[in-house]
Amino acid sequence: MGFGLTNIKIIIAEDYDQMSAKAAHIMADEISLRPDGVFGFATGGTPVGMYKELIRMRQAGEVSFAKVTAFNLDEYYPIEKANDQSYDYFMKDNLFNHVDIDHSRLNIPNGECSDPVAECISYEAKIAAAGGIDLQLIGIGLNGHIGFNEPADHFTNATNHIELTESTIRANRRFFVHEKDVPRHALTMGIRTIMSAQKILLIANGEKKSGILEQVLFGDITPKVPASVLQLHHNVTIVIDKPAGAKIAARI
Ligand code: F6R
């Protein structure tokens, strides 16, 4: 069984909008405490509302990203930054182009690089040179993946170059015009990279995430459920909506 929840703070919001606002405020508060801090970002459907709220807060003068350094969790490989399916494009479109962040301090694994192994080593070194990540935002996959760290026999270590599973490649097919353009690989922070962050903020919404959240929080710590390793982190905040919390609300 897991370790109990003393190191994990769980906030169950009424709905997606409240979840997004709460998570945005947690990140903005952290930025106010550390204006020149190092913040980790995620892509996917879940953070879109949170990023909208951060943009609103920026426009209202409630937060400034001017001195923030950003590191994203992952990127497809190979992919051109200009491709609207790249995570580089997603982050600029959903957040970075709409706030006062210094684009020279944006870091996303480079899907255009010629040597993915060297890119991963260099990405990990950049995180270390920045002093490590103060607050890492993550989402969670239905199978418990975080970043592109899929269920496996071992927890991954540093930023690494992974082969996507056939099912993920098939699922991604619909987003690309030509079959040949569907990325077969990805670059992702490893589990150790994520676990090295001082604080982790996990967001999830929808009933479909309720089962995996129960396993992550109350199940065994196992690389078969990568996010279960969060039970061993010293400072995790989980912000979810009511449907995502359906299976854990009675146990916390
Ligand atoms: C995104 C990422 C993924 C997603 C996860 C959940 O950068 O690394 O692990 O956080 O797949 O995705 P959504 O939010 O679309 O449910």
Side-chain angles (χ1 to χ4, degrees):
M1 280 304 287
F3 264 63
L5 298 174
T6 50
N7 53 335
I8 302 184
K9 183 174 171 194
I10 300 172
I11 299 167
I12 303 186
E14 275 305 310
D15 55 22
Y16 178 76
D17 287 347
Q18 209 187 77
M19 175 205 81
S20 301
K22 187 74 208 165
H25 282 258
I26 290 172
M27 184 172 270
D29 285 351
E30 200 65 28
I31 294 174
S32 304
L33 282 175
R34 296 169 186 272
D36 58 353
V38 180
F39 290 81
F41 291 87
T43 61
T46 317
V48 171
M50 172 183 174
Y51 293 161
K52 282 205 176 94
E53 175 65 8
L54 283 171
I55 294 167
R56 188 205 61 74
M57 292 177 81
R58 170 61 215 134
Q59 285 165 354
E62 295 168 23
V63 65
S64 171
F65 293 78
K67 295 182 188 157
V68 161
T69 298
F71 282 94
N72 257 76
L73 277 172
D74 45 14
E75 176 61 285
Y76 288 123
Y77 184 79
I79 197 158
E80 287 182 3
K81 293 179 189 182
N83 187 320
D84 63 7
Q85 292 305 318
S86 79
Y87 289 177
D88 195 281
Y89 188 101
F90 175 99
M91 285 310 301
K92 288 176 180 149
D93 199 33
N94 282 285
L95 182 65
F96 295 147
N97 282 351
H98 310 288
V99 294
D100 59 341
I101 199 158
D102 175 348
H103 282 234
S104 70
R105 278 200 281 263
L106 296 184
N107 300 281
I108 300 179
N110 182 3
E112 295 180 352
C113 69
S114 53
D115 181 346
V117 174
E119 170 62 16
C120 291
I121 293 170
S122 139
Y123 198 70
E124 194 72 24
K126 273 191 220 158
I127 295 173
I133 293 169
D134 292 311
L135 175 70
Q136 176 67 53
L137 173 69
I138 59 174
I140 182 167
L142 294 176
N143 60 4
H145 73 217
I146 48 179
F148 264 119
N149 298 286
E150 297 290 351
D153 293 333
H154 304 281
F155 286 116
T156 56
N157 196 324
T159 301
N160 62 104
H161 168 224
I162 56 118
E163 209 170 318
L164 297 175
T165 58
E166 273 309 316
S167 68
T168 304
I169 294 168
R170 268 200 307 279
N172 289 339
R173 173 67 186 89
R174 66 187 190 280
F175 299 122
F176 294 85
V177 181
H178 304 293
E179 167 98 44
K180 67 171 177 41
D181 296 333
V182 186
R184 309 252 144 199
H185 297 249
L187 311 172
T188 181
M189 284 187 193
I191 292 289
R192 192 195 68 194
T193 323
I194 296 170
M195 288 292 283
S196 300
Q198 292 302 319
K199 295 182 183 176
I200 295 177
L201 173 59
L202 185 155
I203 56 174
N205 69 289
E207 200 269 328
K208 62 185 185 302
K209 298 272 171 87
S210 63
I212 193 64
L213 284 168
E214 185 181 32
Q215 274 189 61
V216 163
L217 293 169
F218 297 103
D220 289 341
I221 299 166
T222 164
K224 307 268 185 225
V225 182
S228 64
V229 74
L230 296 174
Q231 291 183 36
L232 299 176
H233 194 277
H234 61 280
N235 191 329
V236 180
T237 302
I238 297 183
V239 186
I240 55 182
D241 69 356
K242 262 198 174 149
K247 296 212 164 93
I248 56 169
R251 299 177 69 173
I252 56 177

